[in-house]
Amino acid sequence: MVGLYEEPDKPSNAIDYIKKYLGQGGTTEYDLMKKENDEMKKQIKQLETQVGNMRRQLANEDEV
């Protein structure tokens, strides 16, 4: 941790710096969970769009 304080350019992400500093390479559980979270957020947006489209279709059918 002392190395972090001695860095002239402070890293923007402390977790990535610590992983690098401690020599942990490769894919970590954190990285896998972050990727899964990002994929789920995309899926949620797609589903919300789909729900909005279906609601508009129902509203149009009710008007006819």
Side-chain angles (χ1 to χ4, degrees):
M1 289 298 284
V2 174
L4 179 59
Y5 292 106
E6 294 174 351
E7 280 287 318
D9 297 323
K10 302 296 183 222
S12 59
N13 188 337
I15 292 174
D16 289 341
Y17 176 82
I18 290 170
K19 284 194 277 188
K20 178 183 170 189
Y21 184 74
L22 294 177
Q24 181 179 8
T27 304
T28 63
E29 185 176 353
Y30 169 80
D31 294 329
L32 293 173
M33 291 175 75
K34 184 166 175 34
K35 181 180 177 185
E36 182 182 6
N37 188 20
D38 291 340
E39 290 171 358
M40 288 181 166
K41 285 180 181 180
K42 287 179 188 176
Q43 184 178 11
I44 288 170
K45 285 183 181 183
Q46 291 172 346
L47 291 171
E48 287 174 340
T49 301
Q50 186 178 0
V51 167
N53 291 339
M54 294 174 108
R55 285 183 177 163
R56 280 192 288 285
Q57 286 178 345
L58 284 173
N60 288 339
E61 290 177 7
D62 288 342
E63 290 176 0
V64 175

